[in-house]
Amino acid sequence: MGHGRAALRTSAVGIVSAALIAGTFTGLAPAAQAAGSVRFVDITGDGGTVLKANVVTPAGADGSHAYPLIVLPTSWGLPQAEYLAQAQKLADSGYVVLTYNVRGFWQSGGQIEVAGPPDIADASKVIDWALANTPSDPKHVGMAGVSYGAGISLLAAAHDKRIKAVAALSGWADLIASIYSGRTQHVQAAALLDGAAVVTGHESPEVRQIFDDFYASNLSKEQEMIDWGKKRSVATYVDQLNDNGAAVMMANAWGDTIFPANQYADFYEKLTVPKRLEMRPGDHATAELTGLFGLPNDVWTDTGRWFDHYLKGADNGIDREQPVQLKSRTSGGYEGYPDWKSIGAARKKLALAGSTTIHANVDSGADGGIVFLSSILDQVAQLPPVASIPLLPRRWAAVWQSEKYTTAQQVRGTAKLHTTLTPTEESGTLVAYLYDVGPLGFGKLVTNAPYTWYDRTPGRPFDVDLDLFSTAYDVPAGHRLALVVDTVDPLYIEHNPSGAQLTFSSPADDPSYVSVPLREQ
């Protein structure tokens, strides 16, 4: 099925583990501020597994009054102190807040199940405990979390009708579409998760096998892996979630290299409950990070407003705002839209004319950057990965460019690639990149996505339709857009046999193009 990445995984695990440990203990800083009002408890989860938890109650709570309950499952690899600053703020505004360390991590018992059935059962057990042991109102229960906590919160809301509101921050709706999009392993993302689990938790044998099969590109296990992922994806249970009726707020970053924006946006469109979608610059969980330290943070502010309205009934106007809120990666201020499809209501096609052949197995110099680091640099300094488009070697990279734009092009949403591909081998991988190219030929990465195929007849053309990762980016007047396609990117596992060549063509009756979504002016 391709080439393994054992060496990459080992090095990535080491780097990730060191960063995780440093970040975790730095992240405990808010705990000292809130420690006086925190009660640490043990909760018996599914199957008798002990979950370490903490409870923060409103000042003066004496049992004579019930308060809305918010449950916060921890993020992947982080301890229960993660949310203490936000828990204190929520308690100060009138909530009982219970944070628990998910099974398999830190001092909680059990093994890591990756939001499997035991994790969902744990969430209900935690709610049971809170209702029995704190002044919580059973009619006003909410769940929220970052990353792993977001995914568990959404899944729990699809299985437990008591949950009336959810805030899922930097989470996933479709696990397979996140780390196996285009049938391509997102190897740096997987190594990051695996490394964190090895350092801070105990993987179940099933999870360990999933990771090993993933790295080994074991095609015979592909369907088994997909089925495993579907069981852990709220997209599988969207009808149940809609029937249960919980109000759902989701927030993510455009550059999330673990859970790309596309899969959240696709899921959002399927929701019929009260809903809100927020997209901002950054990478995985970076938009929420300052809030975990108790600093002002838009994501956490809106999370509080969401719960105030749907758990307390506060008339704060959040239900009357445009439900899709986004920030461009290149310009300030929020933009509001009535739904996802409205953000890129206009489209412009860049024709991919002619016939171009490239050789596989060499990184052309175009790539998506480094997990976390590149998108964080884009977030704080508007410096995404850069490539010199004129200098990209055409032996290994296919390049098409638009004319110079006379006005700024506000890219919003999901660019779509359509082309005809003729490979010399039955399997392979390509990676498509969309660049903003300035007057000197330097291209800033707008978006990218991988695509892998198997069992194709060598020499026979077939259609490729690929959604690039959703984004919001303003291309200045005088710049061009360029589409670059090559076959190697450190973010992904590639599956190109030695000596493989790829030919891209544009038949007259089926022309090739990239369709770019633009904000209506």
Side-chain angles (χ1 to χ4, degrees), residues 37 56-62 65-68 87-88 90-97 135:
S37 58
V56 187
T57 53
D62 57 7
H65 177 73
Y67 300 88
Q88 187 66 59
L90 289 167
D92 289 345
S93 63
Y95 294 94
V96 172
V97 186

Side-chain angles (χ1 to χ4, degrees), residues 212-231:
D212 290 344
D213 290 338
F214 183 91
Y215 296 129
S217 304
N218 189 344
L219 192 58
S220 68
K221 296 287 188 177
E222 182 183 38
Q223 190 57 52
E224 182 178 320
M225 181 183 70
I226 290 172
D227 292 342
W228 177 88
K230 284 183 176 179
K231 186 183 294 185

Side-chain angles (χ1 to χ4, degrees), residues 322-481:
Q322 296 277 39
V324 176
Q325 296 283 323
L326 64 85
K327 264 190 174 183
S328 169
R329 291 162 47 203
T330 51
S331 58
Y334 285 95
E335 302 167 7
Y337 300 86
D339 49 39
W340 175 256
K341 65 179 178 290
S342 297
I343 74 167
R347 282 192 170 267
K348 184 175 292 185
K349 287 186 177 180
L350 167 59
L352 310 180
S355 179
T356 303
T357 298
I358 62 173
H359 295 251
N361 301 313
V362 174
D363 190 339
S364 70
D367 65 55
I370 301 172
V371 66
F372 270 142
L373 299 181
S374 297
S375 291
I376 292 175
L377 190 59
D378 184 33
Q379 178 183 0
V380 300
Q382 294 186 9
L383 291 175
V386 174
S388 175
I389 304 304
L391 296 182
L392 290 176
R394 273 28 178 195
R395 178 179 177 85
W396 297 299
V399 180
W400 298 267
Q401 294 192 72
S402 71
E403 298 297 323
K404 288 183 180 179
Y405 294 114
T406 56
T407 59
Q409 306 294 296
Q410 295 182 308
V411 179
R412 299 289 187 275
T414 308
K416 298 177 180 290
L417 168 65
H418 173 76
T419 189
T420 298
L421 172 63
T422 306
T424 59
E425 303 290 341
E426 66 177 12
S427 64
T429 297
L430 63 84
V431 185
Y433 309 88
L434 190 65
Y435 283 99
D436 160 25
V437 185
L440 298 180
F442 288 101
K444 292 184 177 181
L445 185 65
V446 177
T447 181
N448 77 101
Y451 180 90
T452 295
W453 64 93
Y454 301 99
D455 301 323
R456 292 289 181 174
T457 302
R460 178 176 295 177
F462 64 91
D463 289 343
V464 171
D465 289 287
L466 174 63
D467 286 356
L468 279 63
F469 299 136
S470 304
T471 195
Y473 183 100
D474 297 346
V475 179
H479 285 213
R480 310 172 188 263
L481 280 173

Side-chain angles (χ1 to χ4, degrees), residues 5-19:
R5 291 292 185 274
L8 173 60
R9 183 174 76 89
T10 300
S11 60
V13 165
I15 294 170
V16 167
S17 301

Side-chain angles (χ1 to χ4, degrees), residues 238-251:
V238 64
D239 291 340
Q240 290 177 220
L241 183 59
N242 285 331
D243 288 344
N244 286 352
V248 175
M249 171 183 155
M250 301 189 297

